[in-house]
Each structure stands twice: as C-alpha cells, then as structure tokens.
Amino acid sequence: QVQLVESGGGLVQAGGSLRLSCAASGRSFSSYAVGWFRQAPGKEREFVAAISGSAGSTRYSDSVKGRFTISRDNALNTVYLRMNSLKPEDTAVYYCAGRWGSSSAYTGGYKYWGQGTQVTVSS
C-alpha cells in the first residue's frame, strides 16, 4: 500500500553536501514513520536516520549525528535527508523505508522499502 522512490544521490567531494529525497505514494503518509538506511559494498545495511510521521521525533546513528538532518513535508508526501560534511565512509546505496507509526522515530521494523540511490564521496 506504500511505494517509496529515492532520488538525489550522486558523486560529491569530501566535505560537500547532498540532499536525498524519498517520495511516497499511498494513503495516510503522516501515519508512517520513515527511516533512511545505507549499504556500502561488501557491508550489511545499516540504520542512518528516522523520523516520526508527525515529524515530532527524529533519531540518528552516531556516525552521522551532527552532519545529517532528516525532515519531512507531509503535504508533499516526501521525506528528505540533508547530508553535510560528507566523508568517503558515507559512500553507499541509500534506501528509505516506511512503517506504521506516527509518534516514534523507529530504528527498525520497516516494511516498505525503496530501490535506493547511490551516494559516492570522493577523497
């Protein structure tokens, strides 16, 4: 019932910035928490950031806290991930995911997943 499409990835120099977007289709978008995850080559998928459906709560992994900002515009059915001060270690395919939950920024339990967008940070 929910489809997610990521965009905004690309190649950027270390220290640069990118903004990823996650466009959602489906009903009751504001009732779904959305998370960002990433998977680097040869690595397992890891949690990056999450936001509650109401946008009242956010959560970040320690590796991106202070550099990345997650936000959402429920009127546009879109969640964003602003990535500043990018490091080569941030290179990965970034996925957005959704799950039921309007009040909490969950780190897991996501049911709906996008196809991912590649972020490459050069040194």
Side-chain angles (χ1 to χ4, degrees):
Q1 60 181 345
V2 176
Q3 293 181 327
L4 304 170
V5 179
E6 304 93 336
S7 63
L11 175 64
V12 64
Q13 292 272 18
S17 299
L18 285 173
R19 188 182 73 163
L20 306 183
S21 297
C22 175
S25 62
R27 297 183 296 275
S28 303
F29 179 67
S30 64
S31 296
Y32 288 85
V34 175
W36 284 97
F37 297 77
R38 66 187 182 187
Q39 188 167 22
K43 305 294 183 181
E44 294 185 356
R45 185 177 297 173
E46 66 172 339
F47 169 79
V48 175
I51 188 167
S52 61
S54 65
S57 298
T58 59
R59 193 180 301 274
Y60 300 90
S61 68
D62 289 341
S63 63
V64 307
K65 187 176 182 180
R67 299 188 297 122
F68 291 10
T69 302
I70 188 170
S71 62
R72 67 192 294 161
D73 188 334
N74 287 340
L76 298 178
N77 278 22
T78 303
V79 171
Y80 306 97
L81 184 68
R82 180 68 180 181
M83 306 184 294
N84 294 326
S85 302
L86 283 162
K87 305 174 181 179
E89 306 94 273
D90 296 318
T91 296
V93 176
Y94 283 70
Y95 301 87
C96 65
R99 60 164 288 168
W100 182 261
S102 60
S103 61
S104 297
Y106 301 96
T107 60
Y110 288 90
K111 182 177 181 179
Y112 308 100
W113 293 83
Q115 293 294 323
T117 185
Q118 176 71 48
V119 172
T120 302
V121 184
S122 62
S123 60

